[in-house]
Amino acid sequence: MELSKLTAISPIDGRYRGKTEKLGEYFSEYALIRYRVRVEIEYFITLCELPLPQLADFDHSLFSRLRDIYLSFTPEDAQRVKDIEKVTNHDVKAVEYFIKEELDKMGGFDSYKEFIHFGLTSQDINNTSVPLSIKEALEQVYYPLLEELIEQLNDYAEEWKNVPMLAKTHGQPASPTRLGKEVMVYVYRLEEQLRALKDTPITAKFGGATGNYNAHHVAYPQYDWREFGDQFVSEKLGLEREQWTTQISNYDWLAAIFDAMKRINTIVIDLDRDFWMYISMEYFKQKIKAGEVGSSAMPHKVNPIDYENSEGNLGLSNAILTFLAQKLPVSRLQRDLTDSTVLRNVGVPMGHSIIAFESTLKGLRKLILNEDKLHEDLEQTWAVVAEAIQTILRREAYPHPYEALKALTRTNQKMTEQTIHDFIATLEVSDSVKEELMAITPWNYTGV
């Protein structure tokens, strides 16, 4: 079968292609090849800028033509690289040969061509290309969508900041809160973890066959190749060079990136479950779209499917992120090849996260606040003002206030406004304190 949304094995490239298609620019095979070509070209340009003696007369005005090789890179160009790979049986060497072919088309590059991929091993290209793709996918796709989710939550936090709500701890009625404040908890958590993610360095390995610049040093011992590598990785790629490596990246900071993304996913799972519960408690109704079906059997159903879809995709994302973070930093001796096939999957967990964030946003934008239900639950739970009463009684040095309120409220008797006020009337305290206690309700006992 020809590959399409209907025949794709992964739902990322099938059912959810509309949500994840943008990630193809960063994590597809085409994208990986384009990033490799970009690193090779920028490396050659940097050698010219050094300059190496044999490149001292290279015309710098040609740099724009060189960069155009990757700036205008097409799927057809990527296919040419794959055709070369069928012969070389080596993907990075195929990129080198492709670039040399492009230089031959331009003409006049014969004496410079062998400085393409000069002194490098394939991991100098892979371990810069993959981190660069992750960096740019985060900046251009992941961060904007997550920030949109945070902004939507922040808008709700402001809109609902004065809406009193019965809190639940251990699933039981607890001291009242405000709906907007509870939403603000998620804004705060996500902002904190997003800041931590953005502050995590995205690093690259760039140091030759076994990380020592052996080939560079033996050919040109007069240069400080470590400094060269630092500047190239930082200035041309916007990454940080790992100072001590084997043939491959240590992947420690990449693991930290994945762990940070996992924490964000976990917070959104928590959010999804809370809003799912709020809908089941009828604190929210959902906007109904004409033609949609909630159940194939029960016509009345309007299911909170967006939160369920999000939770499922976030679970998948976290499972893969956990594996990546645990596996990648482990390699036999100076390298084994297990990281190679694993690295090709770094876009998969981001794809599941993107699907999830969009589903959560869709669910949030369907919400219709049902203040009557929130009011009703508070009306039915006057026992929650017991904490307030016993705390004021403590302030007044009243004997055993906690025990008095415990005896009142931990019975099967329903606590109503009248029950509470009758109790207050029996207290041996001043009229002003009784007045203060009578003013406390489930709707105004919501803290700051």
Side-chain angles (χ1 to χ4, degrees):
M1 289 186 292
E2 234 180 89
L3 181 63
S4 72
K5 291 182 181 180
L6 291 175
T7 61
I9 295 172
S10 168
I12 288 178
D13 290 319
R15 181 179 181 86
Y16 302 120
R17 181 68 176 172
K19 294 181 178 180
T20 61
E21 190 169 6
K22 56 184 90 68
L23 291 178
E25 288 294 318
Y26 309 94
F27 299 119
S28 63
E29 184 74 0
Y30 155 76
L32 176 59
I33 296 170
R34 191 189 69 232
Y35 275 108
R36 286 167 167 167
V37 171
R38 175 176 165 184
V39 172
E40 293 276 16
I41 293 292
E42 290 297 340
Y43 171 64
F44 176 80
I45 288 173
T46 308
L47 290 177
C48 293
E49 292 171 335
L50 187 58
L52 288 182
Q54 288 82 355
L55 299 175
D57 63 342
F58 188 86
D59 185 356
H60 290 202
S61 67
L62 296 174
F63 288 168
S64 60
R65 291 184 63 191
L66 290 174
R67 288 190 168 109
D68 194 52
I69 295 175
Y70 70 78
L71 289 173
S72 62
F73 194 76
T74 66
E76 289 73 28
D77 293 329
Q79 185 57 57
R80 174 56 190 155
V81 175
K82 298 301 290 183
D83 292 341
I84 298 170
E85 185 184 340
K86 291 176 184 176
V87 179
T88 63
N89 198 31
H90 195 287
D91 48 4
V92 176
K93 200 67 178 175
V95 168
E96 176 188 341
Y97 288 166
F98 166 79
I99 294 172
K100 288 178 176 178
E101 282 186 356
E102 294 300 300
L103 296 183
D104 286 339
K105 292 177 185 176
M106 294 182 192
F109 286 88
D110 285 348
S111 60
Y112 308 116
K113 283 195 306 181
E114 290 311 313
F115 288 93
I116 299 295
H117 201 71
F118 177 79
L120 302 182
T121 186
S122 55
Q123 286 308 103
D124 293 316
I125 303 304
N126 290 331
N127 288 163
T128 47
S129 295
V130 172
L132 185 55
S133 70
I134 292 172
K135 176 179 182 289
E136 295 187 344
L138 286 171
E139 292 173 346
Q140 297 167 29
V141 180
Y142 182 91
Y143 292 157
L145 183 57
L146 181 56
E147 286 163 351
E148 184 180 352
L149 174 58
I150 293 170
E151 183 180 3
Q152 179 64 72
L153 291 168
N154 201 43
D155 288 346
Y156 279 153
E158 177 64 24
E159 181 180 343
W160 300 329
K161 67 181 180 182
N162 294 319
V163 177
M165 180 179 78
L166 181 66
K168 295 288 183 73
T169 60
H170 310 279
Q172 305 301 307
S175 298
T177 183
R178 290 189 177 93
L179 177 58
K181 174 260 170 176
E182 297 308 315
V183 176
M184 196 64 197
V185 169
Y186 285 108
V187 174
Y188 170 73
R189 293 174 69 188
L190 288 171
E191 285 181 339
E192 288 292 294
Q193 294 308 316
L194 177 57
R195 185 180 303 112
L197 174 55
K198 288 182 175 181
D199 288 344
T200 303
I202 302 181
T203 63
K205 179 267 175 180
F206 195 81
T210 55
N212 310 323
Y213 288 109
N214 301 45
H216 294 79
H217 182 70
V218 75
Y220 297 102
Q222 67 270 35
Y223 294 103
D224 185 339
W225 289 107
R226 286 176 296 186
E227 182 182 354
F228 170 88
D230 290 346
Q231 291 180 347
F232 167 66
V233 171
S234 173
E235 295 174 8
K236 293 298 175 66
L237 306 180
L239 306 170
E240 290 187 25
R241 192 179 77 85
E242 297 168 17
Q243 296 299 303
W244 298 86
T245 70
T246 60
Q247 185 178 74
I248 63 173
S249 169
N250 302 315
Y251 295 119
D252 299 325
W253 283 112
L254 194 54
I257 292 288
F258 296 148
D259 284 336
M261 293 173 67
K262 189 169 67 172
R263 290 195 299 274
I264 289 169
N265 284 349
T266 300
I267 293 168
V268 179
I269 288 174
D270 200 21
L271 182 152
D272 287 333
R273 291 179 179 177
D274 272 5
F275 275 95
W276 189 98
M277 290 291 292
Y278 290 145
I279 290 168
S280 76
M281 292 155 61
E282 299 183 7
Y283 286 0
F284 294 102
K285 298 182 183 297
Q286 297 179 91
K287 295 175 184 175
I288 299 171
K289 187 175 180 181
E292 283 191 353
V293 173
S295 165
S296 62
M298 295 171 280
H300 69 283
K301 296 281 291 274
V302 183
N303 296 328
I305 56 174
D306 300 302
Y307 303 102
E308 295 166 346
N309 176 284
S310 175
E311 182 180 340
N313 275 286
L314 291 168
L316 280 168
S317 178
N318 276 359
I320 299 168
L321 289 169
T322 297
F323 170 72
L324 290 172
Q326 290 176 346
K327 185 272 154 298
L328 284 172
V330 179
S331 184
R332 296 170 184 87
L333 303 179
Q334 281 65 57
R335 91 152 302 186
D336 64 42
L337 203 61
T338 53
D339 65 312
S340 179
T341 188
V342 168
L343 279 177
R344 292 179 182 272
N345 292 277
V346 295
V348 176
M350 195 179 297
H352 284 293
S353 292
I354 293 300
I355 294 166
F357 295 165
E358 292 199 5
S359 292
T360 298
L361 265 169
K362 184 178 178 183
L364 291 172
R365 288 166 177 166
K366 286 182 180 178
L367 295 176
I368 301 172
L369 180 61
N370 183 10
E371 286 196 68
D372 289 344
K373 181 61 178 176
L374 275 81
H375 184 91
E376 177 189 329
D377 275 7
L378 288 166
E379 178 65 53
Q380 296 298 317
T381 323
W382 269 82
V384 294
V385 303
E387 179 192 38
I389 295 170
Q390 65 99 4
T391 302
I392 290 175
L393 292 178
R394 283 174 186 260
R395 183 194 72 194
E396 297 298 314
Y398 191 89
H400 311 296
Y402 177 86
E403 287 71 20
L405 270 298
K406 177 181 173 184
L408 172 69
T409 57
R410 284 174 66 103
T411 68
N412 290 325
Q413 176 188 4
K414 180 177 175 58
M415 291 295 106
T416 65
E417 180 179 14
Q418 190 62 49
T419 309
I420 295 295
H421 286 187
D422 287 348
F423 171 79
I424 293 171
T426 68
L427 295 173
E428 295 182 4
V429 294
S430 68
D431 289 344
S432 62
V433 172
K434 286 184 179 180
E435 185 178 345
E436 181 182 3
L437 294 174
M438 292 284 193
I440 299 169
T441 73
W443 299 277
N444 64 22
Y445 181 52
T446 56
V448 296

